[in-house]
Amino acid sequence: MSATCVIGLQWGDEAKGKLVDLLTEENDIVVRFQGGANAGHTVVFGGKKFKLSLIPSGIFRPEVQSVIAGGVVINPASILNEIDTLRGQGVEIGKNLIISDRAHVIMPWHFEEDRIMNTLMGHGEAIGTTMRGIGPCYRDKVGRSFAIRFGELFRSGIEEKIAYITKIKNRFLAGLASDDQKKDLTLLDPDQITRDYKGFAERLKAHLADTTRYLLDAVDANKRILFEGAQGALLDIDHGTYPYVTSSNSSGTGVSSGSGVPASFIKRMVGVVKAYTTRVGGGPFPTELDNEVGQKIRDRGNEYGTVTKRPRRCGWFDAVAVRYTASLSGTTDIALTLLDVLSTFDEIRLCTAYELDGEKIHYFPANIEDVARLKPVYETVPGWSEDLSGIRSFQDLPQAAINYINKVSESVGKPVSIVSVGPGREQTIFRN
Ligand code: GDP
Ligand code: IMO
Ligand code: MG
């Protein structure tokens, strides 16, 4: 039995989808274990581009079982849309997709709460969520009283439960909304919600499963399991740049709690990092380049959100932050992606230390106010002019690019085993 994980080590969008699609070939099962439709993963092959939010990026190989485990929060309407879109693109989806009965369901009130809360941050900047109801759904999961699990949609008593929760949520939303927001607030209708969600459940019935038991049996049967992280370790609810994070454990620490598979079975933890850094939404970002260099990275990397289309904030590679998240996630090796984007820069910078209140430090601070005051200390290396997108072997890379890869590896303290030079499957260099 061997389990491999693909985990983003920055603030998301590191090209996890591409990596998972590639590594699925050598696995029997691929599992999403946290997050929800806030994720936007892209897979490109055969001249086609596929976007995935909730469905594992391994779905393109029908012989591999795709699993949405209990730690995920699911929006049934969005999953049905995704299934329809993928089927329309010729992807086979049937028994090869199972969804946990333990996964929590995003309900209409979660979207309303996300919308109201996001503009209500009275202090500091807004988190800038994806507005997919993620935080409110996880809040209800932890709070327990108003939560609905996927399996419950199929059992008797769900009508009464929805009616009861809707009544309380209507009171809650009315109290939460500012006077301005009250104008846009429409009361939630329990009958309509029940009809909608029973309809969704009917269409998703074939996919319902106890995925924890399924995965534990797979462990006993020596199956090869691939875990697909969503978001990135700096967005982890416990270990990221709190409160500017998502509401789940998006570092390597979440694999076991989200899936039920014991951490001791994980043999390989691939940390995915971009050759630079991006962030969507609010919160401090020490190496951010709010200038023409940042804009050049955005243009060359087409750095606009997969989910919300927002322009992504761009900056140099932050080796101090990645050294921290690589350790936190138990990273065995690094996949360095979007290296092609850095061609044509005369010089490239990497942050290898910070200055905090005049003192040089080499760790990532726990406190968000300290993170906001960090000044990056850079090392500058020569760039390269060559286009990398057609290169398929490590030794064919320009020497300056090889030096940069070695510098990333050395400053993060992990080997770089995979280099990605374009979105396509074939635009990948496996080092060994
Ligand atoms: P994810 O959320 O981690 O799966 O990443 P996203 O799919 O949100 O963002 C990564 C984007 O970069 C997608 O548009 C990919 O198609 C694209 N991409 C992936 N790898 C490479 C690469 O090596 N070079 C370039 N230029 N684009 C890439
Ligand atoms: P993938 O899987 C990048 C960010 C949002 C916001 C914060 C909280 O594609 O890498 P949420 O809606 O989760 O409550 O928003 O987290 N965020 C992501 N940023 N990639 C993602 O997913 C993200 N999912 C959430 O922009 O700052
Ligand atoms: Mg993404």
Side-chain angles (χ1 to χ4, degrees), residues 285-391:
F285 176 176
T287 62
E288 181 166 19
L289 295 166
D290 194 10
N291 57 21
E292 68 286 355
V293 182
Q295 187 57 44
K296 182 173 172 186
I297 295 177
R298 188 175 302 114
D299 291 341
R300 288 191 52 82
N302 190 26
E303 293 293 356
Y304 295 88
T306 312
V307 176
T308 55
K309 315 276 179 259
R310 288 178 287 179
R312 294 176 182 148
R313 300 158 66 190
C314 298
W316 295 121
F317 187 79
D318 187 339
V320 187
V322 173
R323 196 180 179 93
Y324 161 59
T325 54
S327 300
L328 173 72
S329 297
T331 303
T332 51
D333 51 316
I334 297 270
L336 185 67
T337 59
L338 292 107
L339 186 65
D340 53 303
V341 173
L342 291 187
S343 294
T344 77
F345 284 84
D346 290 336
E347 46 185 42
I348 297 170
R349 294 176 149 205
L350 300 89
C351 168
T352 51
Y354 302 122
E355 214 183 274
L356 178 62
D357 302 334
E359 191 194 338
K360 195 170 177 188
I361 62 167
H362 290 89
Y363 61 88
F364 196 80
N367 183 286
I368 198 69
E369 283 147 25
D370 290 344
V371 177
R373 288 202 313 287
L374 294 175
K375 292 194 175 60
V377 177
Y378 287 118
E379 285 186 37
T380 304
V381 298
W384 59 88
S385 54
E386 295 91 331
D387 173 18
L388 306 188
S389 60
I391 294 179

Side-chain angles (χ1 to χ4, degrees), residues 11-13 16 38-41 127-130 230-231 235 245-246 280-281 310:
W11 278 289
D13 304 325
K16 300 175 291 295
N38 48 350
H41 296 181
I127 295 173
T129 76
T130 57
Q231 290 79 56
L235 288 169
V245 291
T246 190
V280 202
R310 288 178 287 179

Side-chain angles (χ1 to χ4, degrees), residues 38-321:
N38 48 350
H41 296 181
T42 319
V43 175
V44 177
F45 62 87
K48 281 197 208 162
K49 185 169 175 168
F50 303 88
K51 292 188 176 186
L52 303 127
S53 272
L54 277 157
I55 294 179
S57 302
I59 196 75
F60 306 101
R61 303 188 200 260
E63 70 285 5
V64 170
Q65 182 66 48
S66 286
V67 176
I68 298 178
V72 174
V73 287
I74 59 169
N75 171 0
S78 138
I79 221 172
L80 283 164
N81 265 335
E82 206 175 325
I83 291 174
D84 287 346
T85 306
L86 288 168
R87 280 188 183 143
Q89 289 178 290
V91 182
E92 200 179 299
I93 304 181
K95 282 277 172 208
N96 58 333
L97 173 69
I98 55 173
I99 306 172
S100 173
D101 49 5
R102 290 175 173 86
H104 280 251
V105 182
I106 299 191
M107 301 297 293
W109 45 83
H110 294 135
F111 291 102
E112 287 296 295
E113 287 174 43
D114 212 356
R115 189 175 63 78
I116 295 174
M117 294 291 285
N118 210 42
T119 50
L120 270 189
M121 287 285 272
H123 51 282
E125 64 187 311
I127 295 173
T129 76
T130 57
M131 299 286 184
R132 297 299 189 270
I134 305 293
C137 184
Y138 276 118
R139 183 165 57 227
D140 278 337
K141 169 182 175 174
V142 177
R144 294 154 301 167
S145 308
F146 310 122
I148 297 175
R149 285 170 139 196
F150 186 54
E152 286 179 82
L153 294 181
F154 302 89
R155 284 190 215 109
S156 62
I158 186 63
E159 290 89 346
E160 292 78 7
K161 187 163 184 181
I162 290 178
Y164 161 76
I165 299 177
T166 309
K167 201 164 80 188
I168 291 170
K169 287 290 182 178
N170 273 333
R171 292 209 304 258
F172 176 68
L173 289 168
L176 190 67
S178 64
D179 289 342
D180 255 9
Q181 289 169 331
K182 280 205 179 92
K183 284 183 245 140
D184 302 327
L185 202 63
T186 41
L187 281 186
L188 299 162
D189 173 1
D191 296 334
Q192 184 63 49
I193 296 173
T194 305
R195 270 197 303 279
D196 289 348
Y197 276 70
K198 287 188 94 164
F200 301 147
E202 189 54 38
R203 290 184 58 201
L204 287 169
K205 198 159 62 185
H207 304 286
L208 175 72
D210 177 349
T211 64
T212 305
R213 196 173 69 218
Y214 174 83
L215 289 173
L216 292 176
D217 287 347
V219 166
D220 287 343
N222 252 345
K223 299 274 196 212
R224 298 162 303 172
I225 309 179
L226 178 64
F227 290 97
E228 173 174 7
Q231 290 79 56
L234 291 169
L235 288 169
D236 186 286
I237 181 75
D238 288 305
H239 309 286
T241 48
Y242 192 88
Y244 303 98
V245 291
T246 190
S247 298
S248 65
N249 284 117
S250 49
S251 67
T253 64
V255 179
S256 181
S257 60
S259 68
V261 173
S264 54
F265 287 102
I266 300 164
K267 296 290 174 282
R268 184 177 178 200
M269 190 63 97
V270 183
V272 192
V273 289
K274 281 182 181 173
Y276 47 94
T277 313
T278 63
R279 175 162 207 179
V280 202
F285 176 176
T287 62
E288 181 166 19
L289 295 166
D290 194 10
N291 57 21
E292 68 286 355
V293 182
Q295 187 57 44
K296 182 173 172 186
I297 295 177
R298 188 175 302 114
D299 291 341
R300 288 191 52 82
N302 190 26
E303 293 293 356
Y304 295 88
T306 312
V307 176
T308 55
K309 315 276 179 259
R310 288 178 287 179
R312 294 176 182 148
R313 300 158 66 190
C314 298
W316 295 121
F317 187 79
D318 187 339
V320 187

